Amino acid sequence: MKFLADMCISSSTVNFLRVHKCDILHVRDRGLQKATDTEILDIAIKENRSVLTFDLDFTDFMAASGENCQV
């Protein structure tokens, strides 16, 4: 499984998952610190990644997109 970590996910969490061989990117890795939720979701869909976030707004975007994605 591939993940995209939102800004609210700590670097230590991302590093922990990397050590355990997870394919995870943080939005900072791509210079997307100021990306909107919609932009982050679009990237996750394009790259077949699950979004790791504490932001409850993502569920609204998922429902509106009609995509089969995971948050």
Side-chain angles (χ1 to χ4, degrees):
M1 183 169 273
K2 296 170 18 172
F3 299 100
L4 179 60
D6 194 11
M7 280 303 296
C8 56
I9 304 299
S10 71
S11 295
S12 61
T13 298
V14 172
N15 290 336
F16 174 85
L17 291 169
R18 284 179 178 154
V19 165
H20 289 86
K21 308 298 184 211
C22 289
D23 181 346
I24 184 166
L25 292 175
H26 197 282
V27 291
R28 282 187 299 259
D29 296 336
R30 297 272 180 88
L32 299 170
Q33 296 89 321
K34 296 186 180 195
T36 66
D37 291 347
T38 304
E39 292 169 326
I40 292 168
L41 186 57
D42 286 345
I43 291 166
I45 291 168
K46 226 182 273 185
E47 297 182 7
N48 197 31
R49 293 185 180 277
S50 297
V51 177
L52 294 181
T53 187
F54 291 116
D55 185 349
L56 299 179
D57 291 344
F58 270 94
T59 56
D60 296 334
F61 293 115
M62 285 175 34
S65 75
E67 293 287 337
N68 181 19
C69 47
Q70 303 169 23
V71 174

